Amino acid sequence: MQMEFLLAPEPEFDAREKGRLMFAGAVDFVKGVVAMDGLPPADRLEVCFAGRSNVGKSSLINALTNRKNLARASNTPGRTQEINYFTAADRYLVDLPGYGYAEAPVAVVAKWQRLLKSYLSGRSTLRRAFVLIDTRHGIKAVDDEILTLLDRSAVTFQVVMTKADKVSASEREKILAQVRGALAKHPAAYPEIIVTSSEKGEGIETLRAIIATLS
Ligand SMILES: Nc1nc2c(ncn2[C@@H]2O[C@H](COP(=O)(O)OP(=O)(O)OP(=O)(O)O)[C@@H](O)[C@H]2O)c(=O)[nH]1
Ligand SMILES: [Mg+2]
């Protein structure tokens, strides 16, 4: 059967409320991790935010948690250089360094990328990887490489489109069609896409509800 990759529906009342409560409560920074042996104990459900450098990972975490500067967001690509752990209720939220960033020194990039790949393929409690895709650009070759890694590691991933406020409705549909085509080749893809804007709040309640109702 051909997957359609529809947009995630508006959450039901209970799920929305669960999401709201989870993110209205305390969200704390736990630690920044630079090597696999620094990961916190794998003792609770975990979701992560992966994506190209500058796609809006840290901004999305700030929007979800309704905090301006919990995760460090920046115009400078390569801002997040560690695996940053946050707790929200009984789960971990994980902000990852971006991939596909060419400007940092080669050795530094190689080190983050190794860590990122080890993390994505080797974290037993990782329940879902949210892979962020810029609504202006769609899925690029560097994204596809990460999606293939997730397929091989049998980690379910869900695409979150970011910066939706920056494109017209017709541009959005065009990019969504490209994304759907690319996802059809990935067995680990969750069959629903979430469209978000951290700036305008679009999709944020939906994503909160999805995270809060994972079990
Ligand atoms: N208009 C708009 N800008 C956004 C949105 N999300 C993020 N940005 C901007 O995009 C830039 C990068 O955002 P970050 O959240 O730092 O991106 P990141 O993916 O964490 O980047 P790295 O940590 O460097 O990989 C910042 O200037 C943000 O303000 C959005 O929804 N709308
Ligand atoms: Mg970041």
Side-chain angles (χ1 to χ4, degrees):
M1 192 189 83
Q2 177 75 37
M3 291 274 203
E4 290 181 75
F5 298 103
L6 300 175
L7 298 186
E10 290 280 310
E12 304 281 342
F13 179 83
D14 286 359
R16 181 191 304 267
E17 202 48 18
K18 216 172 163 194
R20 189 184 69 75
L21 286 171
M22 176 172 287
F23 287 94
V27 182
D28 296 308
F29 176 68
V30 180
K31 68 187 298 200
V33 175
V34 294
M36 286 297 280
D37 60 10
L39 294 175
D43 60 0
R44 67 194 78 179
L45 187 155
E46 181 166 322
V47 298
C48 71
F49 300 88
R52 292 171 74 202
S53 190
N54 223 41
V55 71
K57 299 173 292 295
S58 300
S59 301
L60 187 66
I61 290 179
N62 289 336
L64 285 168
T65 58
N66 224 334
R67 293 167 179 73
K68 277 206 165 59
N69 240 327
L70 182 69
R72 220 159 143 216
S74 161
N75 266 323
T76 316
R79 172 56 64 199
T80 305
Q81 308 190 347
E82 301 171 334
I83 296 182
N84 286 319
Y85 270 79
F86 301 89
T87 47
D90 58 350
R91 42 208 63 188
Y92 282 132
L93 311 177
V94 181
D95 188 16
L96 294 170
Y99 50 77
Y101 171 51
E103 307 302 312
V106 175
V108 175
V109 173
K111 184 169 170 273
W112 302 344
Q113 302 303 296
R114 265 201 308 279
L115 176 62
L116 175 71
K117 289 182 178 174
S118 308
Y119 169 80
L120 287 176
S121 57
R123 181 66 168 170
S124 60
T125 44
L126 179 56
R127 177 68 174 72
R128 188 171 300 180
F130 292 102
V131 178
L132 278 53
I133 302 291
D134 193 315
T135 310
R136 295 169 299 178
H137 307 312
I139 293 184
K140 303 285 186 185
V142 277
D143 297 309
D144 220 62
E145 199 188 309
I146 295 292
L147 303 186
T148 300
L149 175 82
L150 292 166
D151 288 335
R152 289 198 187 120
S153 314
V155 173
T156 300
F157 68 84
Q158 182 162 17
V159 163
V160 177
M161 306 300 296
T162 63
K163 309 192 189 185
D165 57 284
K166 290 200 176 220
V167 301
S168 66
S170 63
E171 184 66 6
R172 178 190 293 214
E173 285 313 312
K174 197 179 96 191
I175 295 290
L176 277 171
Q178 187 267 345
V179 168
R180 289 180 171 121
L183 288 182
K185 301 184 196 81
H186 292 284
Y190 188 80
E192 289 170 1
I193 299 172
I194 311 161
V195 177
T196 67
S197 163
S198 298
E199 196 92 345
K200 304 277 185 234
E202 179 178 355
I204 299 301
E205 282 193 321
T206 301
L207 186 51
R208 282 189 192 131
I210 289 170
I211 293 170
T213 53
L214 281 174
S215 57

